[in-house]
Amino acid sequence: MDTEIKGDILNLIEKISPQGRNYVNEAFNNNMVKVFYYNKSIDEHGVFCIVENNDCNIAYFSFLNEPNKEKCKGLIMADMKPFINEVNEKELCFNVYGKNVGAIEFVQSLGFKADMEGYHLFYNRQEAPVISQSELIEKQFEDSMLDHLVELFDKGYFQLNKENGWQTDWYYTNSKVFQAGLQEKVRDNEFRSFWLGNQLIGAYIIDKNYIRDLVVSPGYQNRGYGSIILAHCIKHMIEKKNVQKVCLRITKSNLSAKRLYERNHFEELACFAEHTFISNINTLNEGEIY
């Protein structure tokens, strides 16, 4: 494949996620990518491809100017049929640029379940933020904090998990797994908690250049603590972890969090809609599913 075309395809995949770009790039190097459709013109600029491996198949659909619904249907139908027919052997996923609404609606009509829709954001400044003065005390993780942190994360994410149909007590039911993960984050210097006296106010967890979690106790939200903890996190990543580009991922439904990050100099990097095929219907025929 022409180097320029490959680069453009990867840029289109990055509109879905930076991790997707890296995954497809590696797959290109291993000859594991099938490009079903690619076009770069004034009227249409997009790609539809799939990465095949031993465990799963992952399709990517990303168009800057979304095709109409009939074209989306025509592009996707025939090429996805063999992969849907072998879904009992391999997991089948379909990742769509989050602004391609027609494609999202169509793949869901084929039996793909929406796993998550949302955004990747990035911090648009080079320098670390100035941290406002506060009474918050910053601490590393200690095992004696576990019960407090379990309560913080389950309560902090409760409404979001409920709205998305996700488990609302994951941290309580998986406290040992959570504890082991926090211990690992201590070794990697990727965790901090924040306290007022003996009261846990919030915490953050980092994964490399991503803010994986930033949680504030519900009783202390809308008091400015979120912005203070976020500033601590960014400063830590830039100055202690030498991160060049601070990023995070949030769900589409978490509008309050998106506003918080945008107020603190984050911009949209990518927009995604992730799906997994779950339907028992596995035969496509002349535009209908049976």
Side-chain angles (χ1 to χ4, degrees):
M1 178 180 289
D2 180 270
T3 302
E4 185 176 342
I5 292 175
K6 177 184 172 182
D8 189 50
I9 287 174
L10 293 175
N11 288 338
L12 289 166
I13 300 299
E14 190 170 22
K15 290 291 183 179
I16 301 173
S17 80
Q19 293 81 3
R21 177 197 173 101
N22 294 339
Y23 180 70
V24 174
N25 184 45
E26 184 177 348
F28 266 127
N29 295 335
N30 294 314
N31 297 313
M32 296 166 61
V33 183
K34 285 185 179 179
V35 178
F36 299 128
Y37 184 86
Y38 167 74
N39 189 24
K40 184 179 182 181
S41 66
I42 295 174
D43 297 325
E44 183 179 89
H45 187 188
V47 66
F48 172 37
C49 64
I50 194 164
V51 175
E52 299 181 80
N53 62 41
N54 294 329
D55 301 317
C56 67
N57 296 317
I58 305 178
Y60 295 88
F61 188 100
S62 179
F63 282 73
L64 300 187
N65 301 309
E66 182 177 22
N68 63 46
K69 290 186 179 181
E70 285 305 310
K71 182 154 189 179
C72 285
K73 181 177 178 180
L75 287 174
I76 295 169
M77 279 296 292
D79 292 316
M80 291 309 295
K81 180 178 178 179
F83 297 98
I84 289 176
N85 287 341
E86 67 173 20
V87 77
N88 291 330
E89 300 172 14
K90 291 183 183 180
E91 183 178 45
L92 178 60
C93 302
F94 205 121
N95 294 339
V96 184
Y97 178 40
K99 297 180 182 179
N100 294 158
V101 178
I104 293 170
E105 291 175 352
F106 183 63
V107 298
Q108 290 178 0
S109 76
L110 293 178
F112 285 88
K113 177 182 179 293
D115 296 318
M116 184 175 173
E117 294 185 48
Y119 306 93
H120 291 260
L121 307 178
F122 75 98
Y123 183 65
N124 64 11
R125 296 192 171 186
Q126 296 297 317
E127 69 278 5
V130 176
I131 298 176
S132 301
Q133 189 173 11
S134 75
E135 297 179 352
L136 289 178
I137 301 169
E138 183 179 346
K139 296 182 182 180
Q140 263 284 18
F141 172 70
E142 298 175 3
D143 287 337
S144 60
M145 300 176 182
L146 181 62
D147 289 343
H148 295 283
L149 287 164
V150 164
E151 182 179 12
L152 171 69
F153 276 72
D154 273 339
K155 286 187 175 181
Y157 285 137
F158 179 83
Q159 192 60 37
L160 180 66
N161 289 337
K162 183 179 178 181
E163 290 172 356
N164 287 278
W166 301 332
Q167 184 177 346
T168 56
D169 63 346
W170 187 91
Y171 294 92
Y172 176 76
T173 57
N174 295 274
S175 60
K176 294 299 182 184
V177 174
F178 184 41
Q179 181 179 23
L182 291 174
Q183 291 168 343
E184 182 176 340
K185 289 301 177 184
V186 169
R187 291 191 292 271
D188 294 336
N189 196 20
E190 293 187 333
F191 170 87
R192 289 295 187 275
S193 60
F194 295 83
W195 304 71
L196 285 176
N198 294 322
Q199 178 63 48
L200 177 60
I201 303 302
Y204 66 72
I205 298 175
I206 301 165
D207 271 339
K208 297 178 181 178
N209 70 313
Y210 265 72
I211 303 173
R212 194 186 83 187
D213 295 282
L214 194 151
V215 189
V216 177
S217 176
Y220 289 87
Q221 292 176 6
N222 301 313
R223 300 190 190 183
Y225 291 122
S227 293
I228 293 171
I229 294 171
L230 176 60
H232 273 273
C233 183
I234 297 169
K235 185 177 179 68
H236 176 82
M237 294 174 76
I238 292 174
E239 296 183 355
K240 299 296 174 49
K241 302 292 291 181
N242 297 314
V243 171
Q244 300 300 309
K245 191 172 188 178
V246 175
C247 299
L248 55 87
R249 194 172 97 141
I250 58 171
T251 63
K252 186 177 180 180
S253 62
N254 199 354
L255 295 178
S256 61
K258 191 169 187 286
R259 287 193 293 267
L260 167 68
Y261 294 124
E262 288 171 343
R263 286 197 304 270
N264 287 277
H265 310 294
F266 278 80
E267 292 182 17
E268 185 176 317
L269 175 65
C271 181
F272 64 90
E274 299 173 347
H275 301 82
T276 303
F277 189 76
I278 60 165
S279 176
N280 292 324
I281 303 169
N282 58 15
T283 303
L284 302 184
N285 183 28
E286 297 181 354
E288 299 293 332
I289 304 176
Y290 297 89

